[in-house]
Amino acid sequence: MKRIFLLIAFCLSLSAIYAQTIDVIHLKNGFDARGTITNRTESQITLQSENGRILTIDLSEIESMEQEQKAFDPRVLIGRWACYKANGEKDKTYDMVISENEGFYTVSHVFYINYYSDDNTGKRYPDNTPDDYSENTEDIDVDNGQVSYHFWQIEHLIFNYSNSERRRSVSIRSEHCDIDLKYNDGKLKGSIDCTQYYYALGCEGYSSPMESLEDGCGTVFSDGPGGKWNVYFVKY
């Protein structure tokens, strides 16, 4: 009896920590009761079954107990997700939306962004509002909470060399990444592997860095793999 009582207490503590588990009570009559243990005394336990019924079971009727992993419900993935680096720093570049239609799942993220800025460094301010943007949507598999997709984003920035006159000098950032995530404790956790990162700045009078580079001016700051880092996503 003491052993069963300790086992119940242990299962209750596990239920509070792991919401994705289910309590299974094997009864001496050969039947099983499945659900979530909500209360226990020295003589009885209370179980909320999977269909919502409340069951009261005497300890003397119990043969053994265990916990099983619940089948993953992909609907928990539906919603808007904000990206954070492993150190807790937010990076809205990779924010995404997961949607469902007729059992099929898609992920959407910002694909093209166009900014104007008065900064002459060729870099935008993080809080700038884009003048134009479009989204990319692709199908994803969500088996067992695994979310993997290819991220591609192009960012244009048209900026001034002075605060008084608009110039046509443009910076461009193009990024290709493989994003692999796994649902865990209400978050999506995993990594971003930037397989190609291109960043260049054009010269005054050109509409794109490519045009100015072809004429022998402009600057390429980066052209190659961008690295790999750990991230997590939180719903918002």
Side-chain angles (χ1 to χ4, degrees):
M1 182 68 71
K2 182 177 180 181
R3 179 175 176 272
I4 294 178
F5 184 79
L6 291 174
L7 181 59
I8 293 170
F10 176 68
C11 288
L12 277 172
S13 64
L14 285 179
S15 297
I17 298 173
Y18 301 106
Q20 298 301 314
T21 59
I22 188 168
D23 299 309
V24 182
I25 300 175
H26 303 290
L27 302 175
K28 292 179 179 179
N29 61 10
F31 291 96
D32 292 338
R34 303 168 60 88
T36 301
I37 297 174
T38 58
N39 191 32
R40 58 106 175 94
T41 67
E42 293 185 0
S43 59
Q44 293 181 326
I45 66 170
T46 302
L47 180 85
Q48 182 174 356
S49 67
E50 292 178 295
N51 61 10
R53 293 180 58 194
I54 302 299
L55 305 176
T56 301
I57 304 172
D58 290 336
L59 294 186
S60 59
E61 301 175 358
I62 298 175
E63 180 68 33
S64 62
M65 297 175 59
E66 62 179 330
Q67 286 199 322
E68 290 182 357
Q69 193 75 15
K70 285 185 180 179
F72 178 73
D73 183 358
R75 290 174 297 180
V76 300
L77 299 174
I78 299 172
R80 304 177 67 86
W81 294 87
C83 177
Y84 292 83
K85 296 179 181 178
N87 63 4
E89 177 186 352
K90 191 177 189 305
D91 191 342
K92 64 186 300 182
T93 301
Y94 307 98
D95 288 0
M96 63 166 175
V97 179
I98 296 178
S99 305
E100 180 270 339
N101 183 43
E102 298 294 333
F104 297 99
Y105 287 79
T106 58
V107 60
S108 302
H109 60 81
V110 175
F111 163 68
Y112 172 85
I113 319 171
N114 190 55
Y115 292 90
Y116 288 97
S117 174
D118 290 331
D119 190 339
N120 63 6
T121 64
K123 297 181 180 179
R124 68 174 175 87
Y125 295 109
D127 58 349
N128 276 8
T129 301
D131 296 275
D132 183 31
Y133 75 95
S134 61
E135 292 186 346
N136 179 60
T137 300
E138 63 179 270
D139 296 335
I140 55 171
D141 293 324
V142 293
D143 293 340
N144 300 316
Q146 192 77 34
V147 176
S148 299
Y149 60 98
H150 184 75
F151 174 93
W152 181 22
Q153 188 175 95
I154 299 174
E155 179 182 290
H156 284 268
L157 175 67
I158 302 174
F159 64 98
N160 291 336
Y161 275 113
S162 68
N163 292 327
S164 60
E165 184 179 356
R166 175 77 68 187
R167 301 296 186 183
R168 297 183 64 204
S169 295
V170 176
S171 72
I172 184 173
R173 179 188 64 83
S174 176
E175 186 170 357
H176 288 260
C177 299
D178 293 323
I179 299 182
D180 294 300
L181 307 167
K182 176 77 173 179
Y183 185 80
N184 184 24
D185 294 334
K187 297 181 177 66
L188 283 166
K189 302 178 181 179
S191 64
I192 294 177
D193 186 2
C194 187
T195 56
Q196 183 182 17
Y197 184 84
Y198 178 81
Y199 175 54
L201 178 63
C203 295
E204 181 179 352
Y206 290 87
S207 61
S208 73
M210 290 72 169
E211 291 181 8
S212 60
L213 289 168
E214 288 176 356
D215 277 355
C217 63
T219 304
V220 176
F221 296 107
S222 179
D223 184 12
K228 184 176 182 178
W229 57 95
N230 294 325
V231 293
Y232 62 93
F233 286 74
V234 180
K235 272 190 180 182
Y236 68 100

PDB file of all heavy atoms in Angstrom, residues 84-105:
ATOM      1  N   TYR A  84      13.590  34.043 -30.911  1.00  0.00           N
ATOM      2  CA  TYR A  84      14.577  34.520 -29.938  1.00  0.00           C
ATOM      3  C   TYR A  84      15.858  33.714 -30.094  1.00  0.00           C
ATOM      4  O   TYR A  84      15.824  32.505 -30.313  1.00  0.00           O
ATOM      5  CB  TYR A  84      14.063  34.353 -28.507  1.00  0.00           C
ATOM      6  CG  TYR A  84      12.898  35.243 -28.160  1.00  0.00           C
ATOM      7  CD1 TYR A  84      11.601  34.877 -28.497  1.00  0.00           C
ATOM      8  CD2 TYR A  84      13.093  36.459 -27.506  1.00  0.00           C
ATOM      9  CE1 TYR A  84      10.523  35.698 -28.191  1.00  0.00           C
ATOM     10  CE2 TYR A  84      12.025  37.276 -27.186  1.00  0.00           C
ATOM     11  CZ  TYR A  84      10.753  36.895 -27.532  1.00  0.00           C
ATOM     12  OH  TYR A  84       9.687  37.708 -27.238  1.00  0.00           O
ATOM     13  N   LYS A  85      16.982  34.401 -29.977  1.00  0.00           N
ATOM     14  CA  LYS A  85      18.259  33.703 -29.924  1.00  0.00           C
ATOM     15  C   LYS A  85      18.387  32.985 -28.583  1.00  0.00           C
ATOM     16  O   LYS A  85      17.657  33.280 -27.644  1.00  0.00           O
ATOM     17  CB  LYS A  85      19.405  34.692 -30.119  1.00  0.00           C
ATOM     18  CG  LYS A  85      19.406  35.364 -31.489  1.00  0.00           C
ATOM     19  CD  LYS A  85      20.545  36.364 -31.624  1.00  0.00           C
ATOM     20  CE  LYS A  85      20.523  37.032 -32.983  1.00  0.00           C
ATOM     21  NZ  LYS A  85      21.602  38.041 -33.133  1.00  0.00           N
ATOM     22  N   ALA A  86      19.335  32.067 -28.495  1.00  0.00           N
ATOM     23  CA  ALA A  86      19.483  31.274 -27.275  1.00  0.00           C
ATOM     24  C   ALA A  86      19.750  32.130 -26.050  1.00  0.00           C
ATOM     25  O   ALA A  86      19.403  31.747 -24.926  1.00  0.00           O
ATOM     26  CB  ALA A  86      20.605  30.245 -27.452  1.00  0.00           C
ATOM     27  N   ASN A  87      20.344  33.318 -26.238  1.00  0.00           N
ATOM     28  CA  ASN A  87      20.631  34.208 -25.111  1.00  0.00           C
ATOM     29  C   ASN A  87      19.432  35.060 -24.703  1.00  0.00           C
ATOM     30  O   ASN A  87      19.543  35.917 -23.821  1.00  0.00           O
ATOM     31  CB  ASN A  87      21.830  35.108 -25.429  1.00  0.00           C
ATOM     32  CG  ASN A  87      21.575  36.039 -26.613  1.00  0.00           C
ATOM     33  OD1 ASN A  87      20.471  36.070 -27.163  1.00  0.00           O
ATOM     34  ND2 ASN A  87      22.594  36.783 -27.014  1.00  0.00           N
ATOM     35  N   GLY A  88      18.282  34.871 -25.374  1.00  0.00           N
ATOM     36  CA  GLY A  88      17.079  35.611 -25.027  1.00  0.00           C
ATOM     37  C   GLY A  88      16.838  36.852 -25.863  1.00  0.00           C
ATOM     38  O   GLY A  88      15.807  37.501 -25.727  1.00  0.00           O
ATOM     39  N   GLU A  89      17.764  37.177 -26.753  1.00  0.00           N
ATOM     40  CA  GLU A  89      17.607  38.359 -27.604  1.00  0.00           C
ATOM     41  C   GLU A  89      16.591  38.083 -28.709  1.00  0.00           C
ATOM     42  O   GLU A  89      16.678  37.079 -29.414  1.00  0.00           O
ATOM     43  CB  GLU A  89      18.954  38.736 -28.224  1.00  0.00           C
ATOM     44  CG  GLU A  89      18.886  39.918 -29.182  1.00  0.00           C
ATOM     45  CD  GLU A  89      20.210  40.154 -29.888  1.00  0.00           C
ATOM     46  OE1 GLU A  89      21.210  39.492 -29.521  1.00  0.00           O
ATOM     47  OE2 GLU A  89      20.236  40.991 -30.822  1.00  0.00           O
ATOM     48  N   LYS A  90      15.619  38.976 -28.861  1.00  0.00           N
ATOM     49  CA  LYS A  90      14.588  38.805 -29.877  1.00  0.00           C
ATOM     50  C   LYS A  90      15.154  39.131 -31.251  1.00  0.00           C
ATOM     51  O   LYS A  90      15.898  40.091 -31.412  1.00  0.00           O
ATOM     52  CB  LYS A  90      13.384  39.695 -29.584  1.00  0.00           C
ATOM     53  CG  LYS A  90      12.158  39.394 -30.442  1.00  0.00           C
ATOM     54  CD  LYS A  90      10.988  40.266 -30.035  1.00  0.00           C
ATOM     55  CE  LYS A  90       9.712  39.820 -30.745  1.00  0.00           C
ATOM     56  NZ  LYS A  90       9.829  39.782 -32.192  1.00  0.00           N
ATOM     57  N   ASP A  91      14.775  38.337 -32.252  1.00  0.00           N
ATOM     58  CA  ASP A  91      15.191  38.581 -33.628  1.00  0.00           C
ATOM     59  C   ASP A  91      13.969  38.428 -34.523  1.00  0.00           C
ATOM     60  O   ASP A  91      13.645  37.326 -34.967  1.00  0.00           O
ATOM     61  CB  ASP A  91      16.294  37.607 -34.043  1.00  0.00           C
ATOM     62  CG  ASP A  91      16.942  37.995 -35.360  1.00  0.00           C
ATOM     63  OD1 ASP A  91      16.329  38.791 -36.100  1.00  0.00           O
ATOM     64  OD2 ASP A  91      18.050  37.508 -35.646  1.00  0.00           O
ATOM     65  N   LYS A  92      13.299  39.540 -34.796  1.00  0.00           N
ATOM     66  CA  LYS A  92      12.040  39.506 -35.536  1.00  0.00           C
ATOM     67  C   LYS A  92      12.211  39.149 -37.001  1.00  0.00           C
ATOM     68  O   LYS A  92      11.220  38.903 -37.699  1.00  0.00           O
ATOM     69  CB  LYS A  92      11.325  40.854 -35.406  1.00  0.00           C
ATOM     70  CG  LYS A  92      12.061  42.019 -36.009  1.00  0.00           C
ATOM     71  CD  LYS A  92      11.351  43.337 -35.717  1.00  0.00           C
ATOM     72  CE  LYS A  92       9.953  43.377 -36.259  1.00  0.00           C
ATOM     73  NZ  LYS A  92       9.274  44.666 -36.028  1.00  0.00           N
ATOM     74  N   THR A  93      13.465  39.087 -37.470  1.00  0.00           N
ATOM     75  CA  THR A  93      13.706  38.700 -38.861  1.00  0.00           C
ATOM     76  C   THR A  93      13.035  37.369 -39.188  1.00  0.00           C
ATOM     77  O   THR A  93      12.501  37.184 -40.279  1.00  0.00           O
ATOM     78  CB  THR A  93      15.219  38.580 -39.131  1.00  0.00           C
ATOM     79  OG1 THR A  93      15.847  39.828 -38.862  1.00  0.00           O
ATOM     80  CG2 THR A  93      15.485  38.181 -40.580  1.00  0.00           C
ATOM     81  N   TYR A  94      13.047  36.447 -38.222  1.00  0.00           N
ATOM     82  CA  TYR A  94      12.597  35.083 -38.488  1.00  0.00           C
ATOM     83  C   TYR A  94      11.206  34.786 -37.927  1.00  0.00           C
ATOM     84  O   TYR A  94      10.782  33.627 -37.918  1.00  0.00           O
ATOM     85  CB  TYR A  94      13.616  34.089 -37.927  1.00  0.00           C
ATOM     86  CG  TYR A  94      15.017  34.361 -38.402  1.00  0.00           C
ATOM     87  CD1 TYR A  94      15.918  35.062 -37.602  1.00  0.00           C
ATOM     88  CD2 TYR A  94      15.440  33.948 -39.667  1.00  0.00           C
ATOM     89  CE1 TYR A  94      17.212  35.340 -38.052  1.00  0.00           C
ATOM     90  CE2 TYR A  94      16.722  34.218 -40.117  1.00  0.00           C
ATOM     91  CZ  TYR A  94      17.599  34.911 -39.304  1.00  0.00           C
ATOM     92  OH  TYR A  94      18.853  35.188 -39.756  1.00  0.00           O
ATOM     93  N   ASP A  95      10.492  35.812 -37.454  1.00  0.00           N
ATOM     94  CA  ASP A  95       9.130  35.588 -36.960  1.00  0.00           C
ATOM     95  C   ASP A  95       8.291  34.909 -38.047  1.00  0.00           C
ATOM     96  O   ASP A  95       8.474  35.169 -39.249  1.00  0.00           O
ATOM     97  CB  ASP A  95       8.477  36.908 -36.567  1.00  0.00           C
ATOM     98  CG  ASP A  95       9.059  37.496 -35.298  1.00  0.00           C
ATOM     99  OD1 ASP A  95       9.978  36.870 -34.720  1.00  0.00           O
ATOM    100  OD2 ASP A  95       8.612  38.580 -34.879  1.00  0.00           O
ATOM    101  N   MET A  96       7.361  34.060 -37.623  1.00  0.00           N
ATOM    102  CA  MET A  96       6.597  33.279 -38.603  1.00  0.00           C
ATOM    103  C   MET A  96       5.183  33.034 -38.109  1.00  0.00           C
ATOM    104  O   MET A  96       4.845  33.278 -36.941  1.00  0.00           O
ATOM    105  CB  MET A  96       7.290  31.947 -38.854  1.00  0.00           C
ATOM    106  CG  MET A  96       7.347  31.076 -37.616  1.00  0.00           C
ATOM    107  SD  MET A  96       7.796  29.389 -37.976  1.00  0.00           S
ATOM    108  CE  MET A  96       7.919  28.719 -36.309  1.00  0.00           C
ATOM    109  N   VAL A  97       4.357  32.522 -39.017  1.00  0.00           N
ATOM    110  CA  VAL A  97       2.980  32.137 -38.710  1.00  0.00           C
ATOM    111  C   VAL A  97       2.758  30.727 -39.229  1.00  0.00           C
ATOM    112  O   VAL A  97       3.076  30.426 -40.395  1.00  0.00           O
ATOM    113  CB  VAL A  97       1.967  33.098 -39.359  1.00  0.00           C
ATOM    114  CG1 VAL A  97       0.537  32.656 -39.037  1.00  0.00           C
ATOM    115  CG2 VAL A  97       2.194  34.529 -38.886  1.00  0.00           C
ATOM    116  N   ILE A  98       2.236  29.849 -38.379  1.00  0.00           N
ATOM    117  CA  ILE A  98       1.863  28.501 -38.797  1.00  0.00           C
ATOM    118  C   ILE A  98       0.340  28.436 -38.879  1.00  0.00           C
ATOM    119  O   ILE A  98      -0.360  28.817 -37.942  1.00  0.00           O
ATOM    120  CB  ILE A  98       2.401  27.443 -37.826  1.00  0.00           C
ATOM    121  CG1 ILE A  98       3.938  27.441 -37.839  1.00  0.00           C
ATOM    122  CG2 ILE A  98       1.879  26.053 -38.195  1.00  0.00           C
ATOM    123  CD1 ILE A  98       4.569  26.455 -36.887  1.00  0.00           C
ATOM    124  N   SER A  99      -0.153  27.962 -40.018  1.00  0.00           N
ATOM    125  CA  SER A  99      -1.593  27.880 -40.261  1.00  0.00           C
ATOM    126  C   SER A  99      -1.976  26.459 -40.646  1.00  0.00           C
ATOM    127  O   SER A  99      -1.129  25.652 -41.069  1.00  0.00           O
ATOM    128  CB  SER A  99      -2.013  28.850 -41.371  1.00  0.00           C
ATOM    129  OG  SER A  99      -1.600  30.167 -41.084  1.00  0.00           O
ATOM    130  N   GLU A 100      -3.279  26.172 -40.521  1.00  0.00           N
ATOM    131  CA  GLU A 100      -3.795  24.848 -40.876  1.00  0.00           C
ATOM    132  C   GLU A 100      -5.051  24.999 -41.716  1.00  0.00           C
ATOM    133  O   GLU A 100      -5.882  25.875 -41.467  1.00  0.00           O
ATOM    134  CB  GLU A 100      -4.107  24.059 -39.603  1.00  0.00           C
ATOM    135  CG  GLU A 100      -4.661  22.652 -39.849  1.00  0.00           C
ATOM    136  CD  GLU A 100      -6.179  22.613 -39.947  1.00  0.00           C
ATOM    137  OE1 GLU A 100      -6.831  23.565 -39.440  1.00  0.00           O
ATOM    138  OE2 GLU A 100      -6.706  21.651 -40.525  1.00  0.00           O
ATOM    139  N   ASN A 101      -5.179  24.166 -42.735  1.00  0.00           N
ATOM    140  CA  ASN A 101      -6.381  24.141 -43.557  1.00  0.00           C
ATOM    141  C   ASN A 101      -6.623  22.714 -44.029  1.00  0.00           C
ATOM    142  O   ASN A 101      -5.778  22.134 -44.720  1.00  0.00           O
ATOM    143  CB  ASN A 101      -6.247  25.084 -44.765  1.00  0.00           C
ATOM    144  CG  ASN A 101      -7.516  25.138 -45.593  1.00  0.00           C
ATOM    145  OD1 ASN A 101      -8.616  25.211 -45.055  1.00  0.00           O
ATOM    146  ND2 ASN A 101      -7.364  25.086 -46.910  1.00  0.00           N
ATOM    147  N   GLU A 102      -7.773  22.156 -43.627  1.00  0.00           N
ATOM    148  CA  GLU A 102      -8.139  20.791 -44.012  1.00  0.00           C
ATOM    149  C   GLU A 102      -7.055  19.777 -43.642  1.00  0.00           C
ATOM    150  O   GLU A 102      -6.803  18.814 -44.370  1.00  0.00           O
ATOM    151  CB  GLU A 102      -8.432  20.720 -45.520  1.00  0.00           C
ATOM    152  CG  GLU A 102      -9.600  21.570 -45.974  1.00  0.00           C
ATOM    153  CD  GLU A 102     -10.937  21.080 -45.410  1.00  0.00           C
ATOM    154  OE1 GLU A 102     -11.035  19.871 -45.121  1.00  0.00           O
ATOM    155  OE2 GLU A 102     -11.859  21.903 -45.268  1.00  0.00           O
ATOM    156  N   GLY A 103      -6.394  20.009 -42.504  1.00  0.00           N
ATOM    157  CA  GLY A 103      -5.374  19.078 -42.041  1.00  0.00           C
ATOM    158  C   GLY A 103      -3.995  19.291 -42.626  1.00  0.00           C
ATOM    159  O   GLY A 103      -3.046  18.595 -42.237  1.00  0.00           O
ATOM    160  N   PHE A 104      -3.858  20.250 -43.530  1.00  0.00           N
ATOM    161  CA  PHE A 104      -2.558  20.576 -44.104  1.00  0.00           C
ATOM    162  C   PHE A 104      -2.006  21.823 -43.419  1.00  0.00           C
ATOM    163  O   PHE A 104      -2.739  22.773 -43.153  1.00  0.00           O
ATOM    164  CB  PHE A 104      -2.674  20.811 -45.608  1.00  0.00           C
ATOM    165  CG  PHE A 104      -3.120  19.606 -46.385  1.00  0.00           C
ATOM    166  CD1 PHE A 104      -4.446  19.460 -46.763  1.00  0.00           C
ATOM    167  CD2 PHE A 104      -2.219  18.605 -46.716  1.00  0.00           C
ATOM    168  CE1 PHE A 104      -4.869  18.353 -47.467  1.00  0.00           C
ATOM    169  CE2 PHE A 104      -2.625  17.487 -47.420  1.00  0.00           C
ATOM    170  CZ  PHE A 104      -3.962  17.353 -47.795  1.00  0.00           C
ATOM    171  N   TYR A 105      -0.692  21.825 -43.179  1.00  0.00           N
ATOM    172  CA  TYR A 105      -0.066  22.913 -42.429  1.00  0.00           C
ATOM    173  C   TYR A 105       0.893  23.696 -43.311  1.00  0.00           C
ATOM    174  O   TYR A 105       1.595  23.126 -44.164  1.00  0.00           O
ATOM    175  CB  TYR A 105       0.659  22.359 -41.198  1.00  0.00           C
ATOM    176  CG  TYR A 105      -0.292  21.917 -40.121  1.00  0.00           C
ATOM    177  CD1 TYR A 105      -0.954  20.693 -40.216  1.00  0.00           C
ATOM    178  CD2 TYR A 105      -0.552  22.720 -39.018  1.00  0.00           C
ATOM    179  CE1 TYR A 105      -1.846  20.285 -39.237  1.00  0.00           C
ATOM    180  CE2 TYR A 105      -1.444  22.318 -38.035  1.00  0.00           C
ATOM    181  CZ  TYR A 105      -2.084  21.111 -38.150  1.00  0.00           C
ATOM    182  OH  TYR A 105      -2.978  20.719 -37.186  1.00  0.00           O
TER     183      TYR A 105
END
